[in-house]
Amino acid sequence: MFLDRSRRPSDAPEPPTPDEIAAGFAVPLLTLAAQDSVEEASAGISSQTQDHQPVMEAATLSYTLWRNPSDRDDPANLVDLTEEMRAALDAEPPWPLPEWISRWRARMCYPLLWDAVRTTHISEVQGHDGYTRHTPELALVEHINYIVRNTYRDVRVHGGFPGELIDPASEDSIEHGYPVSVGGADVVGLRVDSDPHVLGLAADLDGRLLTAVIGREYLPYLRLAFATRPSPARP
């Protein structure tokens, strides 16, 4: 989430909700299967064009993690914040905050599975067959390196921004034929289990590419299964 710092927070527009992004996406989004330990937090979208025509669209879902979902007041659910971050969250804002920013401030106290599940849709554009090079393997590697670069920057990136990613994932890291649970059934998928900080999974689902990248510290609290997100009414 990016904020325009030239404007007061009270003037900042609310980002699109997961329902709004899902309603406008070309195909139904994929998500983690329903489980008490995760709660949908936000969504994002990106796209690529070729000769001014859309050729690829990707939507990502982020989740709040509950280590003890039966008692959300349990301190075990809290993230380890630095003293500086804790002071910033405890401080009274200099301006009134819109409700959506207040929600985000509250969520910062808990672990976030940021951009954990991505649905990628490749458009069938006449004359652009070469874009089919965006394979599940490439999608998985790109997703892993994106998460590692942005989430584990202090230990995995050398030099200033954007810096050099240390030991990035590659297609050589991929384990093929790994069963991935989608909609209650296993499909033939991909796994990268060699990265020290994250686990990556992928599957090609007939027009939708599923990729998921999860920090290893959160794996004990999750069931790694996926489902189609219920579709809201389309505009």
Side-chain angles (χ1 to χ4, degrees), residues 124-161:
E124 295 181 4
V125 180
Q126 187 174 4
H128 297 284
D129 294 339
Y131 209 77
T132 57
R133 290 193 301 269
H134 196 87
T135 62
E137 289 83 359
L138 179 59
L140 178 57
V141 167
E142 287 183 345
H143 194 177
I144 290 172
N145 290 335
Y146 172 74
I147 295 296
V148 171
R149 176 180 292 277
N150 288 280
T151 305
Y152 301 93
R153 186 171 188 84
D154 290 348
V155 293
R156 293 291 296 275
V157 176
H158 177 73
F161 187 83

